[in-house]
Coordinates of all heavy atoms in Angstrom, one line a residue:
K10 N 23.6 26.3 47.9 CA 23.2 27.3 48.9 C 23.4 28.7 48.3 O 22.5 29.5 48.5 CB 24.0 27.1 50.2 CG 23.5 26.0 51.0 CD 24.3 26.0 52.3 CE 23.7 25.1 53.3 NZ 24.3 25.1 54.6
G11 N 24.5 28.9 47.7 CA 24.8 30.3 47.2 C 24.1 30.7 46.0 O 24.1 31.8 45.5
G12 N 23.3 29.7 45.4 CA 22.6 30.0 44.1 C 23.6 29.8 43.0 O 24.7 29.5 43.1
G13 N 23.0 30.1 41.8 CA 23.8 30.0 40.6 C 23.2 30.9 39.5 O 22.4 31.7 39.8
T14 N 23.7 30.7 38.3 CA 23.2 31.5 37.2 C 22.6 30.6 36.2 O 23.1 29.5 35.8 CB 24.4 32.2 36.6 OG1 25.1 33.0 37.6 CG2 24.0 33.1 35.4
I15 N 21.4 31.0 35.7 CA 20.8 30.4 34.6 C 20.6 31.4 33.5 O 20.3 32.5 33.6 CB 19.3 29.9 35.0 CG1 19.4 28.9 36.1 CG2 18.6 29.3 33.8 CD1 18.1 28.4 36.7
K16 N 21.0 30.9 32.3 CA 21.0 31.8 31.1 C 20.1 31.2 30.0 O 20.2 30.0 29.7 CB 22.4 31.9 30.5 CG 22.5 32.8 29.3 CD 23.9 32.8 28.8 CE 24.0 33.5 27.4 NZ 25.4 33.5 26.9
L17 N 19.1 32.0 29.5 CA 18.2 31.5 28.5 C 18.5 32.4 27.3 O 18.5 33.6 27.4 CB 16.8 31.7 28.9 CG 15.7 31.5 27.8 CD1 15.7 30.1 27.3 CD2 14.3 31.9 28.4
S18 N 18.7 31.7 26.1 CA 18.9 32.5 24.9 C 18.1 31.9 23.8 O 17.9 30.7 23.7 CB 20.4 32.6 24.5 OG 20.9 31.3 24.2
I19 N 17.5 32.7 23.0 CA 16.7 32.3 21.8 C 17.3 33.1 20.6 O 17.3 34.4 20.7 CB 15.2 32.6 22.0 CG1 14.7 31.8 23.3 CG2 14.4 32.2 20.8 CD1 13.3 32.2 23.7
T20 N 17.8 32.4 19.7 CA 18.4 33.0 18.5 C 17.6 32.7 17.3 O 17.4 31.5 16.9 CB 19.8 32.5 18.4 OG1 20.5 32.7 19.6 CG2 20.5 33.3 17.2
K21 N 17.1 33.7 16.6 CA 16.4 33.5 15.3 C 17.4 33.5 14.1 O 18.1 34.5 14.0 CB 15.4 34.6 15.2 CG 14.5 34.5 14.0 CD 13.4 35.7 14.0 CE 12.6 35.6 12.7 NZ 11.7 36.8 12.7
C22 N 17.4 32.5 13.4 CA 18.2 32.4 12.2 C 17.3 32.3 11.0 O 16.1 32.4 11.1 CB 19.1 31.1 12.3 SG 20.1 31.0 13.8
D23 N 17.9 32.2 9.8 CA 17.1 32.2 8.6 C 16.1 31.0 8.5 O 14.9 31.2 8.3 CB 18.0 32.1 7.3 CG 18.7 33.4 7.0 OD1 18.3 34.4 7.5 OD2 19.8 33.3 6.4
K24 N 16.5 29.8 8.8 CA 15.7 28.7 8.7 C 15.3 28.0 10.0 O 14.6 27.0 10.0 CB 16.3 27.6 7.8 CG 16.5 28.2 6.4 CD 17.1 27.1 5.5 CE 17.3 27.7 4.1 NZ 17.9 26.8 3.2
N25 N 15.8 28.5 11.1 CA 15.5 27.9 12.4 C 15.6 28.9 13.6 O 16.0 30.0 13.4 CB 16.5 26.7 12.6 CG 17.9 27.2 12.6 OD1 18.4 27.5 11.6 ND2 18.5 27.2 13.8
I26 N 15.1 28.4 14.7 CA 15.2 29.2 16.0 C 15.9 28.3 16.9 O 15.6 27.1 17.2 CB 13.8 29.5 16.5 CG1 13.1 30.4 15.5 CG2 13.9 30.2 17.9 CD1 11.6 30.7 15.8
D27 N 17.0 28.7 17.5 CA 17.8 28.0 18.5 C 17.5 28.4 19.9 O 17.5 29.6 20.2 CB 19.3 28.2 18.2 CG 19.8 27.6 16.9 OD1 19.2 26.6 16.5 OD2 20.7 28.2 16.3
I28 N 17.1 27.5 20.7 CA 16.8 27.7 22.1 C 17.8 27.1 23.0 O 18.1 25.9 22.8 CB 15.4 27.2 22.4 CG1 14.3 27.8 21.5 CG2 15.0 27.4 23.9 CD1 13.0 27.1 21.4
C29 N 18.4 27.9 23.9 CA 19.4 27.3 24.7 C 19.2 27.7 26.2 O 18.9 28.9 26.5 CB 20.8 27.9 24.2 SG 22.2 27.3 25.2
I30 N 19.3 26.8 27.1 CA 19.2 27.1 28.5 C 20.5 26.5 29.1 O 20.8 25.3 28.9 CB 18.0 26.4 29.2 CG1 16.7 26.9 28.4 CG2 17.9 26.6 30.6 CD1 15.5 26.1 28.8
E31 N 21.2 27.3 29.8 CA 22.4 26.8 30.5 C 22.6 27.3 31.9 O 22.1 28.4 32.2 CB 23.7 27.1 29.6 CG 23.9 28.5 29.3 CD 25.1 28.7 28.3 OE1 26.2 28.1 28.5 OE2 24.9 29.4 27.3
D32 N 23.3 26.5 32.7 CA 23.5 27.0 34.1 C 24.9 26.6 34.5 O 25.7 25.9 33.8 CB 22.5 26.3 35.0 CG 22.7 24.8 35.2 OD1 23.8 24.3 35.1 OD2 21.7 24.1 35.4
D33 N 25.3 27.2 35.6 CA 26.7 26.9 36.1 C 26.6 26.0 37.4 O 27.4 26.2 38.3 CB 27.4 28.2 36.4 CG 26.7 29.1 37.4 OD1 25.7 28.8 37.9 OD2 27.3 30.2 37.7
G34 N 25.6 25.1 37.4 CA 25.4 24.3 38.6 C 26.3 23.1 38.7 O 27.4 23.1 38.1
I35 N 25.7 22.0 39.3 CA 26.6 20.9 39.6 C 26.6 19.9 38.4 O 27.4 18.9 38.5 CB 26.0 20.1 40.8 CG1 24.6 19.6 40.6 CG2 26.1 21.0 42.1 CD1 24.0 18.7 41.7
G36 N 25.9 20.1 37.4 CA 25.9 19.2 36.2 C 24.9 18.0 36.5 O 24.3 17.9 37.5
I37 N 24.8 17.2 35.4 CA 23.9 16.0 35.5 C 24.8 14.8 35.3 O 25.5 14.7 34.2 CB 22.8 16.1 34.4 CG1 22.0 17.4 34.6 CG2 21.9 14.9 34.5 CD1 21.0 17.6 33.5
P38 N 24.7 13.8 36.1 CA 25.5 12.6 35.9 C 25.0 11.9 34.6 O 23.9 12.0 34.2 CB 25.1 11.7 37.1 CG 24.6 12.6 38.2 CD 24.0 13.8 37.4
G39 N 26.0 11.2 33.9 CA 25.8 10.6 32.6 C 24.6 9.6 32.6 O 23.8 9.6 31.7
E40 N 24.5 8.8 33.7 CA 23.4 7.8 33.7 C 22.0 8.5 33.8 O 21.0 8.0 33.3 CB 23.5 6.8 34.8 CG 23.5 7.4 36.3 CD 24.8 7.9 36.8 OE1 25.8 7.9 36.0 OE2 24.8 8.4 37.9
R41 N 22.0 9.7 34.4 CA 20.7 10.5 34.5 C 20.3 11.0 33.2 O 19.2 11.1 32.8 CB 20.9 11.6 35.5 CG 19.7 12.4 35.8 CD 18.6 11.6 36.5 NE 17.4 12.4 36.6 CZ 16.3 12.1 36.0 NH1 16.1 11.0 35.3 NH2 15.2 12.9 36.2
I42 N 21.3 11.5 32.4 CA 21.0 12.0 31.0 C 20.5 10.8 30.2 O 19.5 11.0 29.4 CB 22.3 12.6 30.4 CG1 22.6 13.9 31.1 CG2 22.1 12.9 28.9 CD1 23.8 14.6 30.6
D43 N 21.1 9.7 30.3 CA 20.6 8.5 29.6 C 19.1 8.3 29.9 O 18.3 8.0 29.0 CB 21.4 7.3 29.9 CG 22.8 7.3 29.3 OD1 23.1 8.2 28.4 OD2 23.7 6.6 29.8
D44 N 18.7 8.4 31.2 CA 17.3 8.2 31.6 C 16.4 9.3 31.0 O 15.3 9.0 30.6 CB 17.3 8.2 33.1 CG 15.8 7.9 33.6 OD1 15.2 7.0 33.1 OD2 15.4 8.7 34.5
I45 N 16.9 10.5 31.0 CA 16.1 11.6 30.5 C 15.8 11.4 29.0 O 14.7 11.6 28.5 CB 16.8 13.0 30.7 CG1 16.9 13.3 32.1 CG2 16.2 14.1 29.9 CD1 17.8 14.5 32.5
L46 N 16.8 11.0 28.2 CA 16.7 10.8 26.8 C 16.0 9.5 26.4 O 15.6 9.3 25.2 CB 18.0 11.0 26.1 CG 18.7 12.4 26.3 CD1 20.1 12.4 25.6 CD2 17.8 13.5 25.8
E47 N 16.0 8.5 27.3 CA 15.3 7.2 27.0 C 13.8 7.4 27.0 O 13.2 8.0 27.9 CB 15.7 6.2 28.1 CG 15.1 4.9 27.9 CD 15.5 4.1 26.7 OE1 16.7 4.2 26.3 OE2 14.7 3.5 26.1
L48 N 13.2 6.9 25.9 CA 11.7 7.1 25.8 C 10.9 6.1 26.6 O 9.8 6.4 27.0 CB 11.4 7.0 24.3 CG 11.9 8.1 23.4 CD1 11.5 7.9 22.0 CD2 11.5 9.5 23.9
S49 N 11.4 4.9 26.8 CA 10.6 3.9 27.5 C 11.0 3.9 29.0 O 12.1 4.3 29.4 CB 10.9 2.5 26.9 OG 12.3 2.2 27.1
G50 N 10.0 3.6 29.8 CA 10.2 3.6 31.2 C 10.3 4.9 31.9 O 10.6 5.9 31.2
A51 N 10.1 5.0 33.1 CA 10.3 6.2 33.9 C 10.9 5.9 35.2 O 10.2 5.4 36.1 CB 8.9 6.9 34.0
K52 N 12.2 6.1 35.4 CA 12.8 5.8 36.6 C 12.4 6.8 37.7 O 11.9 6.5 38.7 CB 14.3 5.8 36.5 CG 14.8 4.6 35.6 CD 16.3 4.6 35.5 CE 16.7 3.4 34.6 NZ 18.1 3.3 34.3
K53 N 12.7 8.1 37.4 CA 12.2 9.2 38.3 C 12.3 10.5 37.6 O 13.0 10.7 36.7 CB 13.1 9.2 39.6 CG 14.6 9.5 39.4 CD 15.3 9.5 40.7 CE 16.8 9.8 40.4 NZ 17.6 9.8 41.6
G54 N 11.5 11.4 38.0 CA 11.4 12.7 37.4 C 10.6 12.6 36.1 O 10.6 11.6 35.4
V55 N 10.0 13.7 35.7 CA 9.2 13.7 34.5 C 9.5 15.0 33.7 O 9.1 15.0 32.5 CB 7.7 13.6 34.8 CG1 7.3 12.3 35.3 CG2 7.2 14.7 35.7
G56 N 10.0 16.0 34.2 CA 10.1 17.3 33.6 C 10.8 17.3 32.2 O 10.2 17.4 31.1
L57 N 12.2 17.1 32.2 CA 12.9 17.1 31.0 C 12.6 15.9 30.1 O 12.5 15.9 28.9 CB 14.4 17.1 31.2 CG 15.0 18.4 31.7 CD1 16.5 18.2 32.0 CD2 14.8 19.5 30.6
K58 N 12.3 14.7 30.7 CA 11.9 13.5 30.0 C 10.6 13.8 29.2 O 10.6 13.4 28.1 CB 11.7 12.4 31.0 CG 11.5 11.0 30.4 CD 11.5 10.0 31.4 CE 11.7 8.6 30.9 NZ 13.0 8.3 30.5
N59 N 9.7 14.4 29.8 CA 8.4 14.7 29.2 C 8.6 15.7 28.0 O 8.0 15.5 26.9 CB 7.4 15.2 30.2 CG 6.0 15.3 29.6 OD1 5.6 14.5 28.8 ND2 5.3 16.4 30.0
I60 N 9.4 16.7 28.3 CA 9.6 17.7 27.2 C 10.3 17.1 26.0 O 9.9 17.3 24.9 CB 10.5 18.9 27.8 CG1 9.7 19.7 28.8 CG2 11.0 19.7 26.7 CD1 10.5 20.7 29.6
N61 N 11.3 16.2 26.3 CA 12.0 15.6 25.2 C 11.1 14.7 24.4 O 11.1 14.7 23.2 CB 13.2 14.8 25.8 CG 14.1 14.2 24.7 OD1 14.6 15.0 23.9 ND2 14.2 12.9 24.7
R62 N 10.3 13.9 25.1 CA 9.3 13.0 24.5 C 8.4 13.7 23.6 O 8.1 13.4 22.4 CB 8.6 12.2 25.5 CG 7.6 11.2 24.9 CD 6.8 10.4 26.0 NE 6.1 11.3 26.9 CZ 4.9 11.8 26.7 NH1 4.3 11.6 25.6 NH2 4.3 12.6 27.6
R63 N 7.9 14.8 24.1 CA 6.9 15.6 23.3 C 7.6 16.3 22.1 O 7.0 16.4 21.0 CB 6.2 16.7 24.1 CG 5.2 16.1 25.1 CD 4.6 17.1 26.0 NE 3.7 16.5 26.9 CZ 2.4 16.7 26.9 NH1 1.9 17.5 26.0 NH2 1.6 16.1 27.7
L64 N 8.8 16.8 22.2 CA 9.5 17.4 21.1 C 9.7 16.3 20.0 O 9.5 16.6 18.8 CB 10.8 18.0 21.5 CG 10.7 19.3 22.4 CD1 12.1 19.7 23.0 CD2 10.1 20.4 21.5
L65 N 10.1 15.1 20.4 CA 10.3 14.0 19.5 C 9.0 13.7 18.8 O 9.0 13.5 17.6 CB 10.9 12.8 20.2 CG 12.4 12.9 20.5 CD1 12.8 11.8 21.5 CD2 13.2 12.8 19.3
Q66 N 8.0 13.6 19.5 CA 6.7 13.3 19.0 C 6.2 14.3 18.0 O 5.7 13.9 16.9 CB 5.7 13.1 20.1 CG 4.3 12.7 19.7 CD 3.3 12.6 20.9 OE1 3.6 13.2 22.0 NE2 2.2 12.0 20.8
F67 N 6.3 15.6 18.3 CA 5.7 16.6 17.4 C 6.7 17.1 16.3 O 6.2 17.4 15.2 CB 5.3 17.8 18.2 CG 4.1 17.5 19.1 CD1 4.2 17.6 20.4 CD2 2.8 17.2 18.5 CE1 3.0 17.4 21.2 CE2 1.7 17.0 19.3 CZ 1.8 17.0 20.6
Y68 N 8.0 17.1 16.6 CA 8.9 17.6 15.6 C 10.0 16.7 15.1 O 10.8 17.0 14.2 CB 9.6 18.9 16.2 CG 8.6 19.9 16.7 CD1 8.4 20.2 18.0 CD2 7.9 20.7 15.7 CE1 7.5 21.1 18.4 CE2 7.0 21.6 16.1 CZ 6.8 21.8 17.5 OH 5.9 22.8 17.9
G69 N 10.1 15.5 15.7 CA 11.0 14.5 15.2 C 12.4 14.6 15.7 O 13.3 13.8 15.5
E70 N 12.7 15.7 16.5 CA 14.0 15.9 17.2 C 13.8 16.3 18.6 O 12.9 17.0 18.9 CB 14.8 17.0 16.4 CG 15.2 16.5 15.0 CD 16.2 17.5 14.4 OE1 17.1 18.0 15.1 OE2 16.1 17.7 13.2
G71 N 14.7 15.8 19.4 CA 14.6 16.1 20.9 C 15.7 17.0 21.4 O 16.3 17.7 20.6
L72 N 15.9 17.0 22.6 CA 16.9 17.9 23.3 C 18.3 17.4 23.1 O 18.5 16.2 22.9 CB 16.6 17.9 24.8 CG 15.2 18.5 25.2 CD1 15.0 18.2 26.7 CD2 15.0 19.9 24.9
F73 N 19.2 18.4 23.1 CA 20.6 18.0 23.0 C 21.2 18.5 24.4 O 21.1 19.7 24.7 CB 21.3 18.7 21.9 CG 22.8 18.4 21.8 CD1 23.2 17.2 21.4 CD2 23.7 19.4 22.1 CE1 24.6 16.9 21.3 CE2 25.1 19.1 22.0 CZ 25.5 17.9 21.7
I74 N 21.8 17.6 25.1 CA 22.2 18.0 26.5 C 23.7 17.8 26.6 O 24.3 16.7 26.3 CB 21.5 17.1 27.6 CG1 20.0 17.2 27.5 CG2 22.1 17.4 28.9 CD1 19.3 16.3 28.4
E75 N 24.4 18.9 27.0 CA 25.8 18.8 27.3 C 26.0 19.2 28.8 O 25.4 20.1 29.2 CB 26.6 19.9 26.5 CG 26.4 19.8 25.0 CD 27.0 21.0 24.3 OE1 28.2 20.9 24.0 OE2 26.3 21.9 24.0
T76 N 26.8 18.4 29.4 CA 27.0 18.6 30.9 C 28.3 18.2 31.3 O 28.9 17.3 30.7 CB 25.9 18.0 31.7 OG1 26.0 18.4 33.1 CG2 26.0 16.4 31.6
E77 N 28.8 18.8 32.4 CA 30.1 18.4 33.0 C 29.9 18.6 34.5 O 29.5 19.7 35.0 CB 31.2 19.3 32.5 CG 32.5 18.8 33.0 CD 33.7 19.6 32.4 OE1 33.5 20.3 31.4 OE2 34.8 19.5 33.0
E78 N 30.0 17.4 35.2 CA 29.8 17.5 36.6 C 30.7 18.5 37.3 O 31.8 18.7 37.0 CB 30.0 16.1 37.2 CG 28.9 15.1 36.9 CD 29.0 13.8 37.6 OE1 29.0 13.9 38.9 OE2 29.0 12.8 37.0
G79 N 30.0 19.4 38.1 CA 30.7 20.4 38.8 C 30.9 21.7 38.0 O 31.3 22.7 38.5
K80 N 30.4 21.7 36.7 CA 30.6 22.9 35.9 C 29.3 23.4 35.3 O 29.3 24.5 34.8 CB 31.6 22.6 34.8 CG 33.0 22.4 35.4 CD 34.1 22.7 34.4 CE 35.4 22.4 35.1 NZ 36.5 23.0 34.3
G81 N 28.3 22.6 35.2 CA 27.0 23.0 34.7 C 26.5 22.2 33.6 O 27.0 21.2 33.2
T82 N 25.3 22.7 33.0 CA 24.6 22.0 32.0 C 24.1 23.0 30.9 O 23.7 24.1 31.3 CB 23.4 21.3 32.6 OG1 23.9 20.3 33.6 CG2 22.6 20.5 31.6
K83 N 24.1 22.5 29.7 CA 23.6 23.3 28.6 C 22.7 22.4 27.8 O 23.0 21.3 27.4 CB 24.8 23.7 27.7 CG 24.4 24.6 26.5 CD 25.6 25.0 25.7 CE 25.2 25.9 24.5 NZ 26.4 26.3 23.8
I84 N 21.4 22.9 27.7 CA 20.4 22.1 26.9 C 20.0 23.0 25.8 O 19.6 24.1 25.9 CB 19.2 21.8 27.8 CG1 19.7 20.9 29.0 CG2 18.1 21.1 27.0 CD1 18.6 20.7 30.1
T85 N 20.1 22.4 24.6 CA 19.7 23.2 23.4 C 18.7 22.4 22.6 O 18.5 21.2 22.6 CB 20.9 23.4 22.5 OG1 21.6 22.2 22.1 CG2 21.9 24.3 23.1
Y86 N 17.9 23.2 21.8 CA 16.9 22.6 20.9 C 16.8 23.6 19.7 O 16.7 24.8 19.9 CB 15.5 22.5 21.6 CG 14.5 21.9 20.7 CD1 14.6 20.5 20.4 CD2 13.6 22.7 20.0 CE1 13.7 20.0 19.5 CE2 12.7 22.1 19.1 CZ 12.8 20.7 18.9 OH 11.9 20.2 18.0
T87 N 16.7 23.0 18.6 CA 16.6 23.8 17.3 C 15.2 23.5 16.8 O 14.8 22.4 16.5 CB 17.7 23.4 16.3 OG1 19.0 23.7 16.9 CG2 17.5 24.2 15.0
L88 N 14.5 24.6 16.6 CA 13.1 24.5 16.0 C 13.2 25.0 14.6 O 13.6 26.2 14.4 CB 12.2 25.4 16.9 CG 10.7 25.4 16.4 CD1 10.1 24.0 16.5 CD2 9.9 26.3 17.3
Y89 N 12.9 24.2 13.7 CA 13.0 24.5 12.2 C 11.8 25.2 11.8 O 10.6 24.7 12.1 CB 13.4 23.3 11.4 CG 14.7 22.8 11.7 CD1 14.9 21.7 12.6 CD2 15.9 23.3 11.2 CE1 16.1 21.2 13.0 CE2 17.1 22.9 11.5 CZ 17.2 21.8 12.4 OH 18.5 21.3 12.7
K90 N 11.9 26.3 11.1 CA 10.7 27.0 10.6 C 10.1 26.3 9.4 O 10.8 25.7 8.6 CB 11.1 28.4 10.1 CG 11.7 29.3 11.2 CD 12.1 30.6 10.6 CE 12.8 31.5 11.7 NZ 13.3 32.8 11.1
A91 N 8.8 26.4 9.3 CA 8.1 25.8 8.2 C 8.4 26.6 6.9 O 8.5 27.8 6.9 CB 6.6 25.8 8.4
V92 N 8.6 25.9 5.8 CA 8.9 26.6 4.6 C 7.7 26.7 3.7 O 6.8 26.0 3.7 CB 10.0 25.9 3.8 CG1 11.1 26.8 3.4 CG2 10.6 24.7 4.5

């Protein structure tokens, strides 16, 4: 009800770009993260699952999700620059 905070950061490094989205919300239950990162089947929701699937398909690496119930979630992705 009171809202929360969402932080987006994009950091350019020599060989990669780090993208991070984090919030101070309620967190994501462990079984839900397993469903998001699982490529087969679709229990519910498509947003993060679809993003993760496409990143894996195009770049070979997906999202990294850290979460703690009641404290928030941090989702990171590293995009490597072409050499």
